Amino acid sequence: MTASPTERAPVPVLDIGGTHVTAALVDPGTNRPRPGTVIREPLDSRAESGAVLDTVARAALALPAGHGPCWGVAMPGPFDYAAGIGRFAGVGKFESLSGVDVGAGLRGRLAGRAERLCFLNDADAFAVGEYDCGAAAGHDRVVCLTLGTGVGSSFLSAGRPVHTGPLVPPSGHVHRLAVYGRPLEDTVSRRGLRAHYARLRTAAGDPPLPDVREIAARARKGDTAAAEAFRYAFDALGRALAPWIDRFRATAVVVGGSMARSWDLIHPALTTGLASAGGPDTPVLPARRPEEAPLIGPPTGHVTHRTPHEDQDTGAGRQRKGKGHDRSPGRGPTMHDVGKLAQVSAMTVSRVLKNDPGVSEATRERVFAAIDRLGYRRNQTARSLRLGAAG
């Protein structure tokens, strides 16, 4: 596939999920995947890092040549999207990529077909895609959820993800919330739902614990334990989400991800949980383009890692990132800027970037939130350190 002189080259994109990786070429004119260019490969998120990157690269290399040099890559978190480095720890997937330079690993495997990889959160990619041409279209303020291995989320204001400010959860992601005294994903996730079903079922000599799809099928056939496992999980999600939907003034909640295929079980429990917690009467909608949206999101231009992909939303209008921080004009943010915003020392920022296990998770979250907000790029400070002029 070669673009004509007057035709813009298609944009190569990757959507990396907990069970599959999808590669596609997106037409910049229509902002849709080109026919015949969508490649989907199974992916074991528990495999060692080399095997994970090999699988992703295999899907990418199966795309026809003749595309642009910059790839959009939708990636689940925790992830350093500016640096392209995995931060997965204790999340049950991609643990082998923690501390791994995923960008460098993929560029090396793509054999000259990638000059630059632009990473963004997979839930943000899904949300922007749904805003562009799906169920979120026409909604100025919308909360989008992806339900699968875990629970992903994106709070969109005028089509842009909001990650900071008083109207959204920490870093703009609901997986950081707690429900019933435990992290939300202990309840609302593939592992959480299966574990609760295991506790509820009473049949002796049951075969190995079924996956979520089979649990859903059992619920539809009258298995009360299976039905209760779904009800409990998504009622809990509604209770955790309700105050944030109200605070954000969302006019819709859009739900996608592999679990959303069980919409008949999820929707009643989720809406009941929202109502029980005093949430607003906000429509809860299934995604219109659940497969395409994460592919459409990266090339739209709404979100890239070159500028921070979250505005601060204070409710009185969005505040452009970086305002209120005393950086000199023309100077990129430094470790000291990051430390000041995160309320830690530059040395602590450095330790976080080196994946020092001695840094607490709460501190790591503050540092990465500051990095994202300021658009800090690690190589800027690396150059300064070599010149003896850091900060």
Side-chain angles (χ1 to χ4, degrees):
M1 176 185 295
T2 303
S4 70
T6 58
E7 183 183 14
R8 293 168 62 194
V11 179
V13 297
L14 292 166
D15 175 29
I16 300 174
T19 59
H20 288 81
V21 56
T22 305
L25 297 182
V26 175
D27 190 305
T30 64
N31 204 30
R32 301 289 184 278
R34 288 192 171 178
T37 71
V38 178
I39 310 294
R40 186 173 169 89
E41 291 268 359
L43 178 65
D44 183 0
S45 62
R46 297 165 297 180
E48 58 92 16
S49 59
V52 172
L53 295 178
D54 286 345
T55 301
V56 174
R58 184 166 60 248
L61 290 170
L63 292 174
H67 52 71
C70 178
W71 293 65
V73 184
M75 189 82 187
F79 195 82
D80 183 339
Y81 294 96
I85 295 175
R87 302 297 180 195
F88 305 97
V91 293
K93 60 182 177 182
F94 297 122
E95 302 276 348
S96 66
L97 295 182
S98 186
V100 172
D101 190 334
V102 175
L106 288 178
R107 281 193 301 273
R109 287 168 169 80
L110 292 181
R113 288 179 62 176
E115 289 182 10
R116 185 162 59 90
L117 301 174
C118 298
F119 291 93
L120 72 157
N121 180 270
D122 60 343
D124 287 341
F126 162 78
V128 173
E130 283 289 323
Y131 179 84
D132 187 70
C133 62
H139 291 277
D140 186 59
R141 303 176 76 81
V142 60
V143 177
C144 296
L145 304 173
T146 55
L147 306 175
T149 309
V151 52
S153 61
S154 183
F155 287 68
L156 287 189
S157 177
R160 291 185 62 88
V162 178
H163 288 177
T164 58
L167 306 186
V168 299
S171 299
H173 296 304
V174 301
H175 76 268
R176 299 180 184 275
L177 300 177
V179 65
Y180 303 136
R182 302 192 305 274
L184 181 64
E185 286 196 339
D186 283 0
T187 301
V188 188
S189 63
R190 176 178 177 269
R191 61 181 170 83
L193 196 149
R194 295 177 77 222
H196 192 57
Y197 177 61
R199 290 190 294 270
L200 291 170
R201 66 180 182 174
T202 57
D206 253 4
L209 191 61
D211 206 348
V212 170
R213 184 176 296 185
E214 175 60 24
I215 296 173
R218 294 184 182 192
R220 296 184 186 103
K221 292 177 182 177
D223 183 329
T224 56
E228 173 59 16
F230 267 90
R231 187 209 65 78
Y232 180 82
F234 294 103
D235 178 89
L237 177 60
R239 290 172 184 273
L241 197 59
W244 295 102
I245 292 175
D246 188 28
R247 193 175 300 181
F248 192 65
R249 302 192 305 280
T251 58
V253 177
V254 176
V255 184
S258 59
M259 276 201 216
R261 298 188 186 105
S262 303
W263 187 246
D264 57 322
L265 301 172
I266 289 172
H267 183 258
L270 179 55
T271 53
T272 298
L274 287 168
S276 298
D281 187 19
T282 302
V284 179
L285 311 170
R288 284 189 201 150
R289 297 183 176 270
E291 303 296 335
E292 279 192 349
L295 304 172
I296 295 168
T300 59
H302 290 288
V303 183
T304 75
H305 83 279
R306 293 177 67 89
T307 56
H309 51 70
E310 67 276 355
D311 291 346
Q312 177 165 314
D313 196 323
T314 63
R318 289 180 296 140
Q319 177 179 327
R320 294 301 299 174
K321 38 271 179 202
K323 282 189 178 180
H325 300 287
D326 53 349
R327 299 202 307 268
S328 302
R331 178 169 72 87
T334 67
M335 280 192 188
H336 288 278
D337 296 321
V338 172
K340 182 176 180 180
L341 184 57
Q343 298 181 322
V344 298
S345 68
M347 180 63 72
T348 298
V349 175
S350 177
R351 290 173 62 201
V352 169
L353 293 175
K354 292 175 182 176
N355 210 27
D356 187 330
V359 181
S360 73
E361 186 60 31
T363 298
R364 289 169 59 82
E365 289 182 5
R366 290 206 312 274
V367 168
F368 282 121
I371 285 171
D372 285 345
R373 181 174 173 189
L374 294 174
Y376 168 73
R377 301 290 298 278
R378 293 181 66 183
N379 59 343
Q380 291 173 337
T381 295
R383 285 195 299 267
S384 298
L385 287 171
R386 287 196 294 271
L387 294 172

